[in-house]
Amino acid sequence: MSEQITITPTRPYLARAIYEWICDNQLTPYLLVDATQPHTDVPVQFVKDGQIVLNLAPHAIHALHMSNEAITFSARFGGVAKEIYVPVRAMLGIYAKENGQGLFFDPAEYADIEDTHVAQASETKKEAEPSKKKPSLRILD
């Protein structure tokens, strides 16, 4: 019998490395996002043709966290603070604004990988379903 080894995608690791390289060279990191992917939370008023480019410069954002599942940070858009959530599967590229150097990813890379948030959401929904009791309200004197 042979065991199948699950290998994690390289996209989040490469994105972190390119981000660091861009910042070390005093360039402006831009993130190209597929805003149509599930669980992507970006300002929809700035989405064009299903995509958005986000400025990840350290002075433009706050609390950046790049994990293997998502990129999260807060930023201001039109003066309004917004929490951004970009699943790794929605990340199409990360590059320097000044010269375009960076990496662009194959959108199909995650086609065969189950979205853990979808799986978790369906599990949570299943757990919540048994209590389908109607809410009641009564007035106390």
Side-chain angles (χ1 to χ4, degrees):
M1 278 196 281
S2 65
E3 291 182 29
Q4 186 176 5
I5 298 173
T6 304
I7 297 178
T8 58
T10 58
R11 189 180 298 192
Y13 299 92
L14 295 172
R16 286 190 293 266
I18 292 297
Y19 176 79
E20 188 174 324
W21 174 82
I22 291 169
C23 290
D24 285 352
N25 285 283
Q26 283 74 48
L27 300 172
T28 309
Y30 273 9
L31 181 67
L32 178 61
V33 177
D34 177 356
T36 65
Q37 286 293 319
H39 311 293
T40 303
D41 190 7
V42 296
V44 293
Q45 67 269 31
F46 299 107
V47 173
K48 290 186 179 133
D49 298 325
Q51 297 181 345
I52 187 170
V53 176
L54 301 170
N55 179 350
L56 295 184
H59 60 75
I61 61 174
H62 178 69
L64 174 67
H65 181 68
M66 298 175 85
S67 72
N68 289 351
E69 290 77 36
I71 295 177
T72 60
F73 61 92
S74 62
R76 292 193 166 278
F77 297 88
V80 179
K82 171 128 176 85
E83 295 294 322
I84 304 298
Y85 183 88
V86 178
V88 172
R89 71 182 319 130
M91 187 176 19
L92 297 176
I94 185 165
Y95 61 95
K97 169 191 171 189
E98 293 80 2
N99 61 14
Q101 289 187 339
L103 282 177
F104 293 88
F105 305 106
D106 178 9
E109 179 183 8
Y110 280 77
D112 297 330
I113 299 173
E114 181 182 347
D115 186 357
T116 55
H117 287 91
V118 171
Q120 289 172 352
S122 65
E123 288 290 322
T124 305
K125 187 176 180 182
K126 286 178 188 174
E127 291 171 8
E129 282 181 11
S131 71
K132 289 195 174 192
K133 226 173 129 177
K134 288 187 177 180
S136 64
L137 180 66
R138 65 181 184 149
I139 300 173
L140 300 174
D141 291 323

